[in-house]
Amino acid sequence: GKIVPKSVEYHSGDSMRARKQEQLSLLRNIFVPLPDRALKAGDTWNVTDVFDAEQLAALAGSAYGIKKPDVRGLYTLESVEESIAKIVLSLEVSGNGKLDELMDTPELDFLLQIAGTFYFSVTEGKIVSGSITTDAVGVTSIRQQTIEFKGSHMSTFAVEKYK
């Protein structure tokens, strides 16, 4: 379903705890939205079908310090077998911002490419497991020197309890 506007809030606090909370919010809110229509295997939907620009900025930009992120994403209901739906995500977030760890440096230009696979139990009505891979690249300039960075992070998860 859709995320209600203003339903995602970020609070200041311990930097690591806040970052983990934001990452959990990203997982819970941006990576698994379902459209308000029936789906069949092979159907796709865009991230903009389920989020408006303000929600995308709050969800995709805040964890990475990106200002006015450009978010493009496509979800695909790849298959449904034995009441388990496989949903595949391809998401791209680009923009300009600062990483918390590098606040004394100039702003960076970012490109995050996120690929995910999620398994949704039709009978339970929830995501039961999945994996997400994030590839990040960026560039900045310090004292007339160009600095480029890149990295990758892969996570898998299983939902054991759901509120």
Side-chain angles (χ1 to χ4, degrees):
K2 284 195 171 189
I3 302 301
V4 178
K6 309 279 186 212
S7 66
V8 178
E9 295 180 26
Y10 299 109
H11 301 279
S12 301
D14 174 65
S15 175
M16 183 60 78
R17 185 180 68 217
R19 186 178 338 284
K20 290 295 180 192
Q21 183 60 39
E22 285 180 354
Q23 290 170 348
L24 288 173
S25 292
L26 284 168
L27 281 173
R28 188 169 50 249
N29 295 308
I30 197 167
F31 292 115
V32 196
L34 298 173
D36 290 335
R37 60 182 165 85
L39 297 170
K40 64 182 183 313
D43 282 354
T44 62
W45 62 101
N46 284 303
V47 67
T48 54
D49 293 343
V50 289
F51 295 107
D52 64 31
E54 185 178 310
Q55 290 170 313
L56 288 173
L59 292 168
S62 60
Y64 302 101
I66 298 174
K67 297 176 184 174
K68 298 181 184 175
D70 178 25
V71 181
R72 299 172 191 199
L74 185 66
Y75 302 87
T76 303
L77 176 58
E78 196 167 278
S79 63
V80 180
E81 295 179 20
E82 298 182 18
S83 295
I84 299 292
K86 180 180 180 183
I87 300 169
V88 175
L89 164 67
S90 175
L91 185 69
E92 199 170 90
V93 180
S94 59
N96 183 276
K98 289 186 175 194
L99 294 175
D100 289 342
E101 295 83 7
L102 304 173
M103 290 309 283
D104 292 336
T105 63
E107 291 185 341
L108 307 164
D109 291 320
F110 290 91
L111 173 62
L112 304 171
Q113 294 177 318
I114 302 164
T117 302
F118 306 92
Y119 296 94
F120 182 86
S121 170
V122 176
T123 55
E124 295 179 62
K126 67 177 186 176
I127 297 292
V128 292
S129 65
S131 64
I132 300 169
T133 300
T134 303
D135 293 312
V137 294
V139 64
T140 190
S141 180
I142 299 176
R143 294 186 199 117
Q144 300 178 353
Q145 292 220 331
T146 299
I147 299 172
E148 296 179 2
F149 70 89
K150 64 180 179 177
S152 185
H153 179 75
M154 199 268 192
S155 298
T156 59
F157 63 91
V159 178
E160 295 180 14
K161 288 187 176 185
Y162 183 78
K163 293 181 183 180

